[in-house]
Amino acid sequence: MRNIRNFLFIMCDQLRADHLSCYGHPHLRTPALDRLASRGVLFERAFVQSGVCGPSRMSFYTGRYVSSHRATWNRVPLPLDEWLLGDYLGGLGHDLALFGKTHWLPDEQGMARLGLAPASGEPLRQGGFLELARHDGHHAEPDGPYARWLREQGYDSPDPWSDFAISTVDASGGVHSGWRMRNVHLPARVREEHSETAYTVGRAIEHIRARGEQAWSMHLSLVKPHWPYVAPDPYHAMYGVEQCLPPVRDAGERADPHPAYAAYMAHPESSHFARDEVWRRVRPAYQGLVRQVDDHLGRLWAELERLERWEDTLIVFTADHGDYLGDHWLGEKELFHDCVQRVPLLVYDPSPQADATRGSRSTAPVEAIDVVPTALQGLGAELPLHRIEGRSLLAHTRGEANVQARDAVFSELDFSFRQARLDLGLAPGDCQATMVRGERWKYVDWKGLPPQLFDLQEDPHELRDLGRDAGYEVVRQRMRERLHLWRADLKLRTTVGLGEVERKTATHRRAGVHYGLWDEA
């Protein structure tokens, strides 16, 4: 009998679903992830709760929508009262070991209000993780574990990440900054075996080996293929532009665009990616980074095989969001097109109940918030239904009949910190947008701005915005009503469980409280 003892939660940063061979890319081969898909279930329609790293990850880690957990943007701390995956697993005797990035920040104001001053290594400052090799990889961390390790490998620099990991070198030995996308066709100065992906996966493998037969849980959170789009040799030159997907965009999108969309198109990353020379330079490097991730996951799979951990490890692979890469005349992420909101999601369930679904593809709409309940159910925990807003995916892996299917998925954006807010003349409190995506229609409600509407049946690439078309007001009203129902269902009473509510309903008289009586005994 195979029982789940371990949990491996793998996340890539900024990985598009269409950039894996198991999701249909015609040239980019990802054999390790194809193998995972063949052993588990591939979810065709998996969506994040935000197209921004921080809030998306907090939804993955809490099992709650952004409106519920309230960490709406990068560098916005998760409020102290929120429970994270590591908190739940701690109750099961599992430390959630972290290798890679999280975007989690401690709630300093909340701790100060309560008179708490935990040391840097304590759980309140680590988001419920056991930080064994945290590396966020989007800014210099000269005192971080990766930088220290690079110096141990001989990279003599106070900031080896900037000077080697994300710097490139040309044929004559000239050094160039990887922050400049024009340089990403060149190889990184760091050797492949010392790159961010190799380092992070290597540390994770060492930890699994060290655990032996002890149960473990791990978040392997890989920086790549997130920018800087710098790949080490040979991955920097593994693909040519002819092997890349061309951008999905149409000149009509630039004619009278939605105000927020227009403001995002004016951001420098978007105006650059709108130029053919930019996406033609970046997309091959991006594909090389994806292939490198896959190759190192192949190392991890081999180690799991050697240690016989495929027999008792629940594995979830996903991404925190996608990347425009020039689609819709945009760079980066954030807005609500599918190339950002739709992510790969592969779930390997080792239990015998999942044998019948191995290698299958599910078209059920699923969300980032489903990871927490999946992990908890897999490890035998009772689900805290008064807090968790997601649904376990094990009903899908085990082929259960009558699985409750979603009719829509939801995502949110707070763009208060972005130049778009200034360009639109908005106050910081007026920068919210919420998406509801159903079977046919995608609707985006913008506070103080017109809505957006896309017909996914007739316009699957989302090139024609019907948000201001008078002929679709009935559809828009229906989608607004669906958003209203979703908001009403958010779980805001989080300090009392449903069982306690049941037990305490209408019990005031047993407690000696007899208000409203007239002459009853």
Side-chain angles (χ1 to χ4, degrees):
M1 180 69 174
R2 289 165 288 170
N3 295 313
I4 296 172
R5 299 178 62 243
N6 314 305
F7 176 55
L8 175 55
F9 177 24
I10 306 172
M11 179 182 286
C12 282
D13 200 328
Q14 209 148 312
L15 173 62
R16 292 170 57 128
D18 61 5
H19 275 58
L20 301 178
S21 49
C22 53
Y23 278 87
H25 197 288
H27 304 293
L28 176 51
R29 302 264 67 84
T30 51
L33 288 168
D34 291 357
R35 182 183 177 196
L36 185 64
S38 73
R39 289 186 163 197
V41 175
L42 181 152
F43 290 88
E44 296 271 13
R45 295 197 292 170
F47 296 89
V48 293
Q49 270 48 80
S50 176
V52 179
C53 300
S56 174
R57 286 169 179 267
M58 296 311 108
S59 287
F60 272 110
Y61 300 156
T62 63
R64 290 163 57 74
Y65 291 107
V66 178
S67 281
S68 296
H69 68 60
R70 297 156 286 159
T72 61
W73 183 257
N74 297 338
R75 300 177 301 280
V76 174
L78 187 75
L80 197 61
D81 62 321
E82 287 294 325
W83 284 58
L84 295 111
L85 178 57
D87 298 320
Y88 293 121
L89 295 183
L92 301 176
H94 278 238
D95 287 327
L96 181 57
L98 170 69
F99 297 88
K101 73 181 295 182
T102 68
H103 259 288
W104 185 86
L105 288 176
D107 180 4
E108 300 285 0
Q109 291 185 11
M111 289 189 289
R113 180 175 62 87
L114 297 175
L116 301 174
S120 60
E122 294 185 14
L124 280 177
R125 290 194 177 278
Q126 295 188 345
F129 295 104
L130 177 64
E131 291 186 357
L132 297 182
R134 179 168 178 171
H135 172 61
D136 282 353
H138 49 76
H139 58 81
E141 299 171 305
D143 298 319
Y146 179 54
R148 295 196 301 269
W149 183 81
L150 283 177
R151 285 190 284 268
E152 292 170 1
Q153 311 312 309
Y155 296 92
D156 186 15
S157 167
D159 180 10
W161 181 77
S162 297
D163 293 340
F164 291 95
I166 68 158
S167 286
T168 64
V169 58
D170 61 30
S172 63
V175 177
H176 307 274
S177 171
W179 288 116
R180 305 290 183 265
M181 292 188 292
R182 67 171 61 252
N183 299 323
V184 301
H185 65 299
L186 299 169
R189 290 185 76 198
V190 74
R191 292 168 60 92
E192 194 281 328
E193 61 266 31
H194 301 146
S195 64
E196 293 165 286
T197 297
Y199 163 79
T200 307
V201 175
R203 300 292 77 71
I205 289 173
E206 290 173 2
H207 179 71
I208 293 171
R209 287 174 182 160
R211 295 295 295 178
E213 292 302 313
Q214 299 177 79
W216 50 267
S217 291
M218 177 189 295
H219 185 29
L220 174 56
S221 183
L222 300 172
V223 171
K224 297 303 181 186
H226 190 285
W227 48 255
Y229 304 106
V230 175
D233 182 49
Y235 295 98
H236 74 291
M238 192 168 283
Y239 297 95
V241 69
E242 70 281 357
Q243 296 170 296
C244 297
L245 301 176
V248 174
R249 58 196 191 192
D250 184 84
E253 292 180 286
R254 302 169 106 173
D256 190 26
H258 184 278
Y261 178 34
Y264 268 82
M265 282 195 285
H267 284 176
E269 65 273 12
S270 297
S271 61
H272 292 153
F273 266 109
R275 294 157 45 191
D276 286 347
E277 64 179 313
V278 176
W279 72 260
R280 291 173 68 88
R281 178 65 57 86
V282 172
R283 286 195 177 215
Y286 181 91
Q287 290 190 185
L289 290 167
V290 175
R291 178 55 193 259
Q292 186 195 16
V293 165
D294 189 82
D295 284 349
H296 283 281
L297 290 179
R299 289 174 55 208
L300 177 57
W301 296 171
E303 192 65 19
L304 293 177
E305 200 80 63
R306 188 184 72 81
L307 297 171
E308 299 183 348
R309 291 284 75 86
W310 284 100
E311 297 297 314
D312 55 11
T313 303
L314 173 65
I315 302 175
V316 174
F317 173 87
T318 190
D320 59 352
H321 50 73
D323 192 328
Y324 276 110
L325 294 173
D327 281 8
H328 307 287
W329 312 100
L330 294 168
E332 265 280 75
K333 57 259 187 179
E334 300 184 41
L335 299 186
F336 297 99
H337 299 96
D338 274 6
C339 60
V340 168
Q341 299 291 330
R342 177 176 173 252
V343 293
L345 179 62
L346 309 174
V347 178
Y348 168 71
D349 177 357
S351 66
Q353 302 98 303
D355 287 348
T357 65
R358 302 201 188 283
S360 65
R361 307 172 80 92
S362 172
T363 59
V366 297
E367 297 183 288
I369 56 175
D370 297 337
V371 170
V372 168
T374 300
L376 295 184
Q377 183 187 357
L379 293 171
E382 183 178 351
L383 299 186
L385 297 177
H386 62 297
R387 280 193 297 265
I388 297 294
E389 293 171 330
R391 306 172 185 177
S392 172
L393 299 171
L394 298 189
H396 298 279
T397 65
R398 296 173 183 180
E400 295 178 8
N402 303 317
V403 175
Q404 183 182 7
R406 286 187 174 90
D407 68 326
V409 295
F410 302 86
S411 184
E412 299 174 73
L413 173 65
D414 169 7
F415 61 101
S416 306
F417 293 86
R418 298 291 270 140
Q419 180 65 36
R421 175 181 74 81
L422 302 178
D423 293 346
L424 291 167
L426 297 175
D430 295 328
C431 300
Q432 291 79 43
T434 308
M435 177 202 83
V436 52
R437 186 193 195 279
E439 186 69 28
R440 176 171 181 177
W441 302 99
K442 176 185 285 188
Y443 176 82
V444 183
D445 181 71
W446 293 86
K447 181 178 180 180
L449 296 172
Q452 289 182 288
L453 180 70
F454 296 94
D455 184 343
L456 302 174
Q457 178 177 296
E458 300 299 324
D459 177 27
H461 296 302
E462 305 170 87
L463 299 173
R464 184 184 172 212
D465 181 2
L466 305 172
R468 290 170 285 173
D469 189 318
Y472 292 87
E473 179 54 31
V474 171
V475 176
R476 290 193 294 271
Q477 181 59 34
R478 187 165 69 246
M479 299 305 281
R480 281 193 291 270
E481 291 171 358
R482 184 63 187 88
L483 266 182
H484 176 74
L485 291 174
W486 168 74
R487 290 188 177 111
D489 282 339
L490 294 176
K491 296 185 177 180
L492 306 181
R493 186 188 59 231
T494 61
T495 55
V496 178
L498 300 182
E500 185 175 352
V501 173
E502 291 280 2
R503 291 191 300 273
K504 292 183 176 180
T505 299
T507 60
H508 57 282
R509 289 192 182 185
R510 293 205 300 270
V513 178
H514 302 282
Y515 59 84
L517 300 183
W518 181 259
D519 57 5
E520 295 95 330

